[in-house]
Amino acid sequence: MRATSFIKAFTLGQFASLVVGQGSSCAPGGTFDLSIWKLQLPTGEEGHPDSINADQLQGCSGYKSDVFYTDDDGTLVMKVPGSPSSSGCVTTPNSDHCRTELRENSPDKWSPSSETNRLFGDLVVTQIDDDRVVVGQIHIDGAISSKPVCELYYSTSGDLRMGVNKCTTCSQASFAVGNVPVGQRFTYEIRYESDQLSVSINGESFQQLDTFDLNSPDSYFKAGNYNQGEGATEVHFYAIQVSH
């Protein structure tokens, strides 16, 4: 098993101590290991949002902006200003929604039949004006489909629901998986391994989720702020860890 941590090898307490005072003066790549990711942004030209490669994200002088930066408390902040109609943000060709989101890029795909495929997030949603935001997902490899395997939705009521596509071209089924009040820190872990999809919230028992007719397509992880509404959203991550 290979484990790649989004934060370098510090405990959460050590990490907070290390970065307090840097704030936005140091890019996220100065204290976070972004070597396996590329960043997708809500800016750019219509149908062609900006993206930032891993080598551009590295180090304290790496990429940062008003929607992607390190806060004074050490968290990685990802913001989305709203929808294309409300804010003029830019979407990908296959989506109506804007995002500031990390896309797994090393590896750029993996098999759900493998023994270990795990995404862990430790985060707090500090702003959600309406509707929902996706804070973690598994996406099907683009050579197969433009659909996700699953998306973890967080709503204005604090409800967490997992949307699971019923096939590579189908719509989603929705499963309630937890509730965390807005502004309260929580963790999630999504697994798609040995052909089984499951999720755990706040370290509780894993809930097994039906994958219908998906048949374990090659996939990759995404984590961040994928806004589903008209208003602004803001998500702060304390940690993201991927294991294969």
Side-chain angles (χ1 to χ4, degrees):
M1 180 179 74
R2 175 181 65 83
T4 304
S5 178
F6 182 68
I7 296 179
K8 297 176 182 178
F10 309 124
T11 67
L12 290 181
Q14 289 171 322
F15 174 69
S17 176
L18 177 70
V19 299
V20 165
Q22 289 182 330
S24 59
S25 66
C26 183
T31 47
F32 290 72
D33 179 4
L34 302 176
S35 60
I36 71 163
W37 304 98
K38 72 175 180 181
L39 176 66
Q40 298 174 308
L41 292 166
T43 57
E45 299 180 0
E46 185 176 353
H48 300 281
D50 296 326
S51 63
I52 309 296
N53 293 327
D55 58 352
Q56 299 172 283
L57 294 171
Q58 302 307 301
C60 203
S61 60
Y63 176 81
K64 64 180 179 180
S65 69
D66 58 353
V67 298
F68 182 81
Y69 61 90
T70 309
D71 204 0
D72 286 327
D73 64 359
T75 55
L76 190 156
V77 182
M78 288 184 262
K79 295 182 176 182
V80 175
S83 70
S85 60
S86 68
S87 71
C89 62
V90 175
T91 72
T92 60
N94 297 308
S95 177
D96 296 325
H97 307 293
C98 300
R99 72 187 80 206
T100 301
E101 188 178 41
L102 292 164
R103 190 259 199 229
E104 189 180 18
N105 202 45
S106 181
D108 62 356
K109 63 181 178 180
W110 39 261
S111 171
S113 300
S114 301
E115 290 185 358
T116 305
N117 299 302
R118 302 175 182 181
L119 170 65
F120 171 84
D122 181 355
L123 67 154
V124 58
V125 178
T126 61
Q127 182 179 11
I128 179 168
D129 293 342
D130 60 15
D131 207 82
R132 304 175 296 175
V133 59
V134 173
V135 294
Q137 63 170 301
I138 301 173
H139 203 282
I140 301 170
D141 177 49
I144 301 171
S145 173
S146 62
K147 298 285 190 178
V149 169
C150 63
E151 295 174 302
L152 182 58
Y153 295 95
Y154 183 85
S155 74
T156 54
S157 63
D159 286 333
L160 285 153
R161 302 189 69 90
M162 186 72 92
V164 181
N165 275 64
K166 296 180 181 180
C167 72
T168 57
T169 58
C170 296
S171 60
Q172 292 185 343
S174 181
F175 300 91
V177 296
N179 180 278
V180 177
V182 174
Q184 181 173 310
R185 182 175 173 178
F186 68 96
T187 66
Y188 67 75
E189 185 171 346
I190 302 169
R191 299 181 177 181
Y192 196 15
E193 54 193 30
S194 301
D195 300 314
Q196 296 291 319
L197 178 65
S198 62
V199 62
S200 168
I201 304 299
N202 281 333
E204 297 180 357
S205 298
F206 277 86
Q207 303 177 54
Q208 300 293 323
L209 303 173
D210 193 345
T211 52
F212 305 97
D213 296 319
L214 276 172
N215 297 321
S216 299
D218 284 350
S219 302
Y220 56 87
F221 287 122
K222 303 187 80 173
N225 180 344
Y226 182 24
N227 190 335
Q228 303 293 295
E230 294 294 314
T233 46
E234 183 173 330
V235 182
H236 293 224
F237 278 91
Y238 295 87
I240 303 174
Q241 181 172 313
V242 170
S243 302
H244 291 297

